[in-house]
Amino acid sequence: MKVFITGATGFVGGHVARELTSRGADLRILTRRTSNLTNLKGLVSGADAETVIGDLLQPDALRNAIRGCDAVMHVAADYRLWVRDPDTMIRTNVEGTRALLRIAREENVPRFVYTSSVATMGFKTDGTIVDENTPVTLDDMVGHYKRSKFLAEQVAIEAARAGQSVIILNPTTPIGAGDLKPTPTGRIIVDFLNKKFPAYMDTGLNLVDVAEVARTHADALHPSTGRPGERYILGGENLTLKQILDKMSAITGLPSPSMKVPHSVAMIFAFFDETIVGHIMGKEPRATVEAVRMGKKKMFASSAKAERELGFRIVPVYQALRNAIDWFRANGYAPAS
């Protein structure tokens, strides 16, 4: 099977690419000239993978790379909780997805797997466990990233309704080794390891082993897996932020913060950090108003649908969390144990 894959230089995409090659797939991997290729080490040196330099902002230049493929695996996204120019994020996440779907359709590619996000679900402030059928609208999306992913997801659903074989996967909060950037969740782990996490908010996340997310992506390439146009949450354990910190404390021996900060105080800090660091200094702030607003909702979700229809497995996150901690330490993000 020949697969055109985007986002393979990133955290989730890198794991997906390795899972695909382990199953014998031939990959055409989209990279940019400025991409960090660390996550592709050992992949592109063989005959089963090649890199294609391009950009989702210029999708038509990717037609030759997509031509002749058996599937498109679209994992890439502009994932930032703070951005000076939201238009670039919309163009990448929404219009880039629309264009890839169009080209795949025009080139008669049999299967298109779109990686969305659990961020598009209708989360509640009371910690209700949501699923793919929980009512949600664009107005429920907090911030540019969530709005862009919601809109891109609608584009994928529309393509499926028009007859294209598109399946939509919604990972929750993947953790594990290889989080280069790191992602916002990876940054929580790094800050904890560096003893820069003095307090916590009353919020919650669903953590999932990135290896299980990658396995299910590979399974979803087969047209008989899942139903076109359907969304599938790929999750693991629903945990409060305090529970996550306590798990990391148990693994590392480092103290877990005991002081809980009200959302109002966190919002004030985020406002000044975003104003001074973001808008005045031009750097990415450590805390953003968008992140604090998102934190008011506990992002607890059910993966029962993916279990039934995709064969997805929910596994304890302990090993994935330990893998992430070990990897961050081994790669200089935090002091060795």
Side-chain angles (χ1 to χ4, degrees), residues 17-243:
R18 291 186 182 279
E19 179 68 20
L20 290 174
T21 55
S22 74
R23 300 187 185 196
D26 295 329
L27 302 185
R28 289 178 180 170
I29 301 172
L30 177 63
T31 66
R32 292 180 294 177
R33 294 189 184 278
T34 58
S35 294
N36 184 338
L37 303 183
T38 300
N39 278 341
L40 300 183
K41 187 178 296 185
L43 286 182
V44 296
S45 59
D48 54 355
E50 60 178 304
T51 57
V52 176
I53 297 176
D55 198 305
L56 289 176
L57 296 177
Q58 298 175 315
D60 282 300
L62 306 176
R63 182 179 295 274
N64 286 339
I66 294 174
R67 181 172 295 146
C69 286
D70 300 297
V72 171
M73 180 75 75
H74 183 28
V75 188
D78 186 342
Y79 178 22
R80 292 175 289 171
L81 296 184
W82 184 84
V83 56
R84 294 177 71 91
D85 180 16
D87 180 63
T88 300
M89 180 175 283
I90 294 293
R91 288 169 57 206
T92 298
N93 292 350
V94 183
E95 298 310 319
T97 299
R98 190 192 308 277
L100 284 183
L101 282 161
R102 171 178 56 79
I103 295 169
R105 187 165 57 248
E106 292 170 352
E107 294 297 330
N108 298 312
V109 177
R111 185 68 156 179
F112 194 109
V113 178
Y114 173 58
T115 306
S116 185
S117 168
V118 78
T120 64
M121 301 297 159
F123 291 106
K124 312 297 181 183
T125 57
D126 61 0
T128 299
I129 297 176
V130 307
D131 61 20
E132 297 86 350
N133 293 320
T134 303
V136 64
T137 68
L138 181 60
D139 291 339
D140 296 314
M141 298 295 105
V142 176
H144 301 298
Y145 172 71
K146 282 193 172 187
R147 283 194 288 272
S148 71
K149 294 299 286 184
F150 184 90
L151 292 171
E153 195 175 83
Q154 297 306 305
V155 170
I157 292 172
E158 290 168 6
R161 287 174 178 166
Q164 194 168 358
S165 180
V166 183
I167 189 171
I168 302 157
L169 304 181
N170 300 75
T172 55
T173 309
I175 55 171
D179 191 356
L180 283 173
K181 262 190 169 179
T183 60
T185 310
R187 197 172 301 149
I188 291 175
I189 299 173
V190 170
D191 284 348
F192 177 85
L193 295 175
N194 285 293
K195 302 179 182 179
K196 294 180 179 179
F197 218 109
Y200 66 94
M201 288 196 310
D202 180 22
T203 188
L205 299 169
N206 180 292
L207 298 188
V208 62
D209 188 332
V210 69
E212 288 302 312
V213 172
R215 184 186 64 81
T216 305
H217 271 71
D219 290 344
L221 285 180
H222 300 283
S224 61
T225 302
R227 291 175 288 153
E230 291 294 316
R231 303 187 298 164
Y232 294 94
I233 296 172
L234 308 182
E237 290 188 57
N238 293 308
L239 300 165
T240 65
L241 178 56
K242 176 58 175 168
Q243 287 174 322

Side-chain angles (χ1 to χ4, degrees), residues 243-263:
Q243 287 174 322
I244 296 170
L245 296 169
D246 288 346
K247 284 181 179 292
M248 288 194 289
S249 177
I251 292 170
T252 63
L254 296 173
S256 177
S258 58
M259 181 173 65
K260 183 166 70 174
V261 176
H263 282 93

